[in-house]
Amino acid sequence: MAKPLTDQEKRKQISIRGIVGVENVAELKKGFNRHLHFTLVKDRNVATIRDYYFALAHTVRDHLVGRWIRTQQYYYEKDPKRTYYLSLEFYIGRTLQNTMINLGLQNACDEAIYQLGLDIEELEEMEEDAGLGNGGLGRLAACFLDSMATLGLAAYGYGIRYEYGIFNQKIKDGWQAEEADDWLRHGNPWEKARPEFMLPVHFYGRVESTKTGPRWVDTQVVLAMPYDTPVPGYMNNTVNTMRLWSARAPNDFNLRDFNVGDYIQAVLDRNLAENISRVLYPNDNFFEGKELRLKQEYFVVAASLQDIIRRFKASKLGCRDSVRTAFDSFPEKVAIQLNDTHPALGIPELMRAFLDIEKLPWDKAWEITKKTFAYTNHTVLPEALERWPVDLFEKLLPRHLQIIYEINQKHLEKISSLFPGDHGRLRRMSLIEEDGVKRINMAHLCIVGSHAVNGVAKIHSDIVKNEVFKDFSELEPKKFQNKTNGITPRRWLLLCNPGLAELIAEKIGEDYVKDLSQLTQLKKFVDDNSFIRDISKVKEDNKLKFSQFLEKEYKMKINPSSMFDVHVKRIHEYKRQLLNCLHIITMYNRIKANPSKDFVPRTVIIGGKAAPGYHMAKMIIKLITSVGDIVNHDPAVGNKLKVIYLENYRVSLAEKVIPATDLSEQISTAGTEASGTGNMKFMLNGALTIGTMDGANVEMAEEAGEENIFIFGMRVEDVAEVDKKGYNANEYYEKLPELKKAIDQIKSGFFSPAKPDLFKDVVNMLFNHDRFKVFADYEAYIKCQDKVSELYKTPKEWTKMVIKNIAASGKFSSDRTIKEYAKDIWGVEPSDLKIPPPNEPRDVVDDAGAGKAKA
């Protein structure tokens, strides 16, 4: 049970985790008991831990609603420009603790729950993660929502309310098995259904030419039901909205037709329409061209744009009648950000609304559309780029295909006039790819239909501009920008690492939570012995706590003084978990060859999900677990080396492992990881990084100084050089005895005695078609790892380097990222205006508007 805080601890925590007032605590206890009784219909004799979680969640939610209503009303009154973040993924994780922190209620809730004889941590562990994302792209969207609310932007997240999120991963006999993530089974206390804003979405049908222009007719209709989730800013009383759409069949679905006979079947067939929002596609950095996925992409876009247009028209200002009819001011009131190409259909859909419904002329519609949209690119891997077959489009979205053809025609006419006779350029820049199956290149559609295109780290944006979309940037260089990703310090420091957050606040005050650049002030304590001790102690405590978690979950004794070497992210060849695996085998072989030699003990922790259809990624998991089985059960190794595969890595598990990490593995082949954001979380939480010059690692090295981060391996230029001469894996295998030994062991079945050729596919890939050149970086990686171990032997020097890293991590706040989007792309101003809380009179918001506030 959580022990009560001493007065000194309370004083220490007052600012960051909220004030513990007697009235506050009494009110929370009252709310808790009321919800247990009236909402959950339980008493303390029959209530379960889950009931207590729900009672607390509803109590905390009560503190959001007044602020939420007031924020939305304020936007209605003031009519600011709205920012809409469109994404097929929002990887939110848990909501309870984040809400308590952002409302300044954490300490009061801790105290109230303690007084009720309960353990708040046990309650928090009952909450299901909202796993509506795969990895970086979805988690970025969640961090961005937190920052947009904290910066007081009138912003909305639009996405899909998947009934089943990213699968739960089970490791069975060393292999990944997937289980459905039924995250809504017990209900979701944070969402509010809004059936009054349900909207129709059309599919299939045909296009009819009429006197007034084209009409899309004979369509199938699916209804989109919105579910709203509040997004609180940090201590500023702003509460924005994330609106997720769920698919519903209309009541006459399949009953308008001739099959009146089979009423039962018609009702059962409603599932077909409702399957659209059933499940998240579990691919990270891979395009799967399935009809259901295209339906999902259109579904979110069609519903969201109707909502956006409705809100624009209903706006109070700028017109005397109740409805805005002129769309000239649309881009002055609406900014839409496309999170990758997944919501790219927003471009032809807005055009369709302007042309077919609002009857705007093409040129005017196109000008408005381009000024409204901006596109973020998240990957340069060719297998991840969305290229939809024209045939599928023609069937599912015939009117949109026409519009895309016309966009393309006008686009190519422009290219032709600028570069007469350059047919290669026309072919490269077309929205339609003609080689073999005709396909629509969604990235090209996004670039042509947006006024801004950005990558997500400097190096990535350079590759986007100078390589992947070179033709487009030559045409419109000013369209291409960089916006280096960031993470929210609320979840990724205050929530997950309160010990470190408090220690920092003691030294530099608590303003850094909203202005992370202030962490540079920590530089002056880099030689302060007591601060070094304190930082070291926080890490020790976090490691001890995580060790206890691991021992409970994995029934395995952990050495908490060993170096925690952590590699957590989606499993993908480009992320090179295999390189890490080769290092583990090399360490094992060194221990075996010389058991008495001094060895810096390590606990290597690897975790992450593989896409269910990605054979090689699943083999990589099996290899790691098989190597772990040998290493962990070899008495000669003892507690010098342990290998743990972290099952079901997800947001809530990241919050546990990241604060306990000593060494962060960021080892993708240079030029393949667009940015990475895990790298930033580790840096902020006092881990050192071993990594390649890829993604945001480059900027981390720039901020901290290259001497304070363990950089190794080929740079982008070196990779290009190797490609030019041809990558020959065998060369490295023959030249490096330790590499040869490790590979021979994998090949011979040393790690799979029951099935010696189990890993033949992996070995074959490494020798014959390794796009990511694992062997080429092996030697540099091993040498760099030796340097890491050397530094770990002198804890004081290690901790000084840690402090330098934390002090240099301020750039990587998503608040900084969002300020850049706001200024350079959306044309909106962050506001530090604090909307008055619900218990104070409402001066800024005119009472007359209260009844008219639009959702």
Side-chain angles (χ1 to χ4, degrees):
M1 181 168 308
K3 65 180 198 321
L5 303 168
T6 65
D7 285 343
Q8 187 199 354
E9 282 173 320
K10 272 180 204 163
R11 261 200 308 283
K12 223 170 73 173
Q13 292 188 337
I14 250 164
S15 41
I16 293 197
R17 291 167 72 106
I19 291 137
V20 185
V22 178
E23 318 78 21
N24 224 344
V25 172
E27 188 199 349
L28 288 164
K29 285 163 73 177
K30 207 169 110 185
F32 179 93
N33 286 321
R34 187 172 55 83
H35 278 297
L36 193 62
H37 187 82
F38 287 103
T39 309
L40 295 156
V41 196
K42 292 274 184 106
D43 64 37
R44 291 289 301 258
N45 301 307
V46 293
T48 63
I49 298 292
R50 177 170 283 106
D51 292 320
Y52 294 137
Y53 156 68
F54 275 110
L56 178 57
H58 279 105
T59 307
V60 170
R61 180 179 163 277
D62 288 345
H63 288 257
L64 275 173
V65 276
R67 291 172 171 89
W68 196 7
I69 288 170
R70 192 167 274 204
T71 300
Q72 299 310 312
Q73 194 179 312
Y74 177 81
Y75 292 157
Y76 178 68
E77 297 292 322
K78 289 281 177 284
D79 194 32
K81 183 172 184 177
R82 263 87 160 182
T83 300
Y84 296 103
Y85 199 81
L86 261 58
S87 180
L88 266 90
E89 303 185 20
F90 287 94
Y91 204 172
I92 303 286
R94 292 172 176 162
T95 296
L96 173 60
Q97 198 182 353
N98 187 246
T99 305
M100 294 190 299
I101 285 171
N102 280 9
L103 294 184
L105 285 172
Q106 173 121 55
N107 275 336
C109 287
D110 282 354
E111 182 62 27
I113 296 304
Y114 173 78
Q115 288 181 19
L116 290 164
L118 298 166
D119 177 355
I120 194 157
E121 252 187 63
E122 203 184 336
L123 268 52
E124 288 165 349
E125 282 298 314
M126 293 309 298
E127 182 173 1
E128 298 274 1
D129 280 46
L132 308 184
N134 276 286
L137 172 149
R139 182 54 235 176
L140 186 79
C143 284
F144 279 4
L145 293 182
D146 181 89
S147 286
M148 290 187 291
T150 296
L151 291 170
L153 299 183
Y156 303 73
Y158 274 106
I160 295 177
R161 180 181 177 267
Y162 300 107
E163 205 174 312
Y164 296 91
I166 187 65
F167 61 85
N168 284 316
Q169 180 193 55
K170 288 275 189 288
I171 302 295
K172 294 184 179 160
D173 189 28
W175 297 92
Q176 167 175 298
E178 299 89 25
E179 288 182 356
D181 167 41
D182 192 6
W183 71 289
L184 293 167
R185 184 173 50 234
H186 301 285
N188 173 5
W190 305 108
E191 67 181 10
K192 176 73 185 79
R194 299 270 184 212
E196 68 276 22
F197 291 109
M198 189 133 61
L199 294 166
V201 176
H202 297 260
F203 294 100
Y204 302 108
R206 57 191 174 81
V207 182
E208 203 174 64
S209 303
T210 69
K211 287 198 222 33
T212 56
R215 282 186 60 222
W216 185 16
V217 297
D218 297 339
T219 55
Q220 287 185 24
V221 176
V222 176
L223 300 176
M225 161 96 78
Y227 285 78
D228 288 356
T229 299
V231 180
Y234 179 71
M235 299 292 284
N236 65 350
N237 296 324
T238 294
V239 182
N240 285 342
T241 300
M242 174 178 68
R243 178 163 283 183
L244 302 180
W245 302 100
S246 180
R248 294 279 181 278
N251 287 331
D252 62 357
F253 185 79
N254 267 11
L255 291 166
R256 330 179 261 306
D257 313 321
F258 314 104
N259 56 354
V260 189
D262 206 346
Y263 160 75
I264 296 290
Q265 194 54 46
V267 172
L268 297 184
D269 284 347
R270 295 168 61 83
N271 276 317
L272 299 171
E274 298 178 350
N275 276 338
I276 290 174
S277 56
R278 194 79 67 203
V279 59
L280 169 74
Y281 272 82
N283 303 317
D284 185 76
N285 271 297
F286 184 76
F287 169 59
E288 187 176 353
K290 295 281 197 284
E291 181 171 359
L292 181 62
R293 170 67 173 193
L294 186 57
K295 279 185 176 169
Q296 290 181 339
E297 292 183 354
Y298 181 61
F299 176 75
V300 64
V301 143
S304 302
L305 278 172
Q306 288 180 73
D307 215 35
I308 290 166
I309 291 167
R310 174 190 61 75
R311 196 176 286 112
F312 168 79
K313 287 181 168 181
S315 150
K316 205 175 100 155
L317 302 180
C319 56
R320 287 275 45 90
D321 39 304
S322 64
V323 174
R324 269 203 185 111
T325 43
F327 283 91
D328 293 15
S329 63
F330 194 78
E332 277 68 71
K333 287 295 176 189
V334 175
I336 303 176
Q337 192 67 33
L338 303 172
N339 194 26
D340 214 313
T341 58
H342 311 148
L345 285 166
I347 292 166
E349 174 64 10
L350 187 61
M351 284 296 285
R352 185 184 72 84
F354 285 159
L355 298 168
D356 298 2
I357 299 165
E358 305 298 339
K359 304 295 182 196
L360 267 58
W362 179 281
D363 290 343
K364 172 60 77 183
W366 184 240
E367 181 198 349
I368 297 170
T369 297
K370 271 186 77 157
K371 283 184 183 161
T372 301
F373 283 104
Y375 157 57
T376 302
N377 172 276
H378 281 273
T379 183
V380 298
L381 295 182
E383 64 268 35
L385 296 177
E386 293 197 293
R387 295 153 61 246
W388 288 103
V390 164
D391 290 347
L392 179 56
F393 247 84
E394 202 159 24
K395 176 171 80 147
L396 195 69
L397 301 167
R399 179 63 183 130
H400 297 75
L401 182 60
Q402 287 185 345
I403 291 169
I404 288 167
Y405 275 149
E406 189 153 351
I407 292 169
N408 195 39
Q409 191 192 333
K410 290 176 157 39
H411 161 63
L412 292 180
E413 280 167 7
K414 186 175 146 195
I415 309 297
S416 264
S417 65
L418 290 166
F419 304 93
D422 191 341
H423 298 297
R425 187 179 294 260
L426 285 177
R427 193 190 72 257
R428 292 194 308 271
M429 296 184 75
S430 176
L431 273 48
I432 313 292
E433 297 179 357
E434 304 269 5
D435 44 308
V437 181
K438 277 180 84 171
R439 296 175 175 276
I440 302 169
N441 184 313
M442 301 306 271
H444 291 184
L445 173 61
C446 286
I447 295 168
V448 170
S450 298
H451 70 278
V453 175
N454 73 279
V456 290
K458 266 185 205 149
I459 184 177
H460 168 62
S461 297
D462 288 343
I463 292 170
V464 162
K465 193 173 172 145
N466 304 322
E467 296 176 36
V468 189
F469 302 127
K470 183 165 182 281
D471 293 310
F472 292 91
S473 74
E474 282 171 5
L475 196 65
E476 304 180 278
K478 287 203 276 294
K479 186 182 275 196
F480 289 78
Q481 307 187 15
N482 172 245
K483 296 285 170 279
T484 300
N485 283 163
I487 57 173
T488 171
R490 272 71 63 180
R491 184 175 296 267
W492 298 114
L493 183 57
L494 268 68
L495 183 155
C496 70
N497 203 343
L500 180 57
E502 293 304 341
L503 183 52
I504 294 169
E506 274 172 45
K507 284 290 176 199
I508 67 171
E510 71 270 0
D511 286 355
Y512 76 89
V513 178
K514 292 185 88 156
D515 176 15
L516 210 61
S517 66
Q518 292 187 24
L519 289 179
T520 52
Q521 295 172 45
L522 292 173
K523 281 188 186 141
K524 56 177 178 280
F525 303 109
V526 84
D527 295 309
D528 175 328
N529 282 320
S530 88
F531 187 61
I532 293 170
R533 267 198 311 277
D534 290 343
I535 286 282
S536 186
K537 175 76 165 72
V538 166
K539 182 61 75 178
E540 219 175 288
D541 292 346
N542 291 339
K543 286 173 73 174
L544 205 58
K545 186 171 182 187
F546 191 63
S547 299
Q548 289 162 356
F549 167 80
L550 286 179
E551 286 173 22
K552 192 172 112 261
E553 296 291 309
Y554 294 90
K555 318 284 176 248
M556 193 164 145
K557 198 84 190 110
I558 305 295
N559 172 6
S561 65
S562 65
M563 184 200 307
F564 282 17
D565 172 349
V566 180
H567 198 178
V568 286
K569 51 186 73 238
R570 285 296 291 257
I571 309 299
H572 201 297
E573 288 160 86
Y574 87 83
K575 295 176 186 281
R576 297 202 296 190
Q577 283 90 358
L578 277 172
L579 186 56
N580 191 344
C581 192
L582 291 175
H583 177 240
I584 296 171
I585 297 171
T586 303
M587 285 191 290
Y588 172 73
N589 287 334
R590 287 177 179 183
I591 293 167
K592 293 291 280 182
N594 203 341
S596 56
K597 187 166 179 260
D598 179 40
F599 184 86
V600 178
R602 293 205 189 203
T603 303
V604 183
I605 298 169
I606 302 179
K609 293 174 184 177
Y614 190 172
H615 168 71
M616 189 57 65
K618 289 186 148 181
M619 288 311 302
I620 291 167
I621 292 175
K622 177 59 176 170
L623 177 60
I624 294 162
T625 56
S626 302
V627 170
D629 280 341
I630 299 290
V631 171
N632 297 341
H633 296 110
D634 191 325
V637 175
N639 68 355
K640 290 190 188 139
L641 182 61
K642 286 275 178 275
V643 181
I644 294 188
Y645 199 90
L646 211 49
E647 187 175 80
N648 202 31
Y649 181 63
R650 58 198 186 282
V651 175
S652 58
L653 191 47
E655 291 163 3
K656 294 180 174 70
V657 67
I658 291 171
T661 299
D662 292 309
L663 183 67
S664 158
E665 301 266 358
Q666 308 295 336
I667 59 178
S668 55
T669 312
T672 62
E673 188 72 88
S675 164
T677 45
N679 47 4
M680 302 166 186
K681 293 160 194 168
F682 285 108
M683 184 186 195
L684 181 58
N685 281 278
L688 298 184
T689 302
I690 183 166
T692 50
M693 275 297 197
D694 199 17
N697 299 356
V698 177
E699 289 160 80
M700 286 163 55
E702 197 179 305
E703 295 293 303
E706 214 172 311
E707 67 283 5
N708 295 308
I709 162 166
F710 295 98
I711 293 287
F712 73 93
M714 296 180 290
R715 311 298 203 255
V716 167
E717 305 75 45
D718 304 316
V719 175
E721 198 50 50
V722 171
D723 276 328
K724 212 169 86 186
K725 78 173 211 298
Y727 170 62
N728 179 359
N730 203 55
E731 214 175 285
Y732 302 95
Y733 169 80
E734 295 296 353
K735 190 177 70 189
L736 305 167
E738 288 190 304
L739 172 61
K740 184 174 195 300
K741 173 153 200 204
I743 293 296
D744 288 348
Q745 287 170 308
I746 295 170
K747 204 161 41 176
S748 69
F750 181 86
F751 299 108
S752 54
K755 192 168 190 292
D757 70 343
L758 182 60
F759 300 116
K760 64 173 189 299
D761 290 357
V762 177
V763 174
N764 176 45
M765 179 274 290
L766 285 170
F767 277 105
N768 300 314
H769 44 93
D770 177 9
R771 296 163 59 204
F772 305 105
K773 306 176 177 65
V774 171
F775 291 2
D777 274 340
Y778 170 84
E779 188 180 16
Y781 181 53
I782 301 296
K783 284 184 176 150
C784 196
Q785 286 283 18
D786 293 342
K787 274 174 55 191
V788 173
S789 291
E790 207 44 51
L791 184 66
Y792 197 74
K793 287 190 209 166
T794 53
K796 187 175 174 184
E797 291 308 309
W798 179 279
T799 305
K800 285 167 90 162
M801 198 180 279
V802 162
I803 294 165
K804 289 176 189 167
N805 271 267
I806 297 170
S809 63
K811 172 180 181 178
F812 304 106
S813 169
S814 47
D815 299 346
R816 186 267 317 151
T817 311
I818 290 298
K819 281 178 186 155
E820 293 181 8
Y821 277 97
K823 178 170 143 315
D824 303 338
I825 297 178
W826 302 333
V828 294
E829 273 293 321
S831 125
D832 14 8
L833 178 105
K834 212 169 161 180
I835 296 170
N839 53 350
E840 283 176 27
R842 179 182 35 196
D843 331 315
V844 282
V845 185
D846 163 22
D847 271 322
K852 298 203 302 268
K854 296 288 182 286

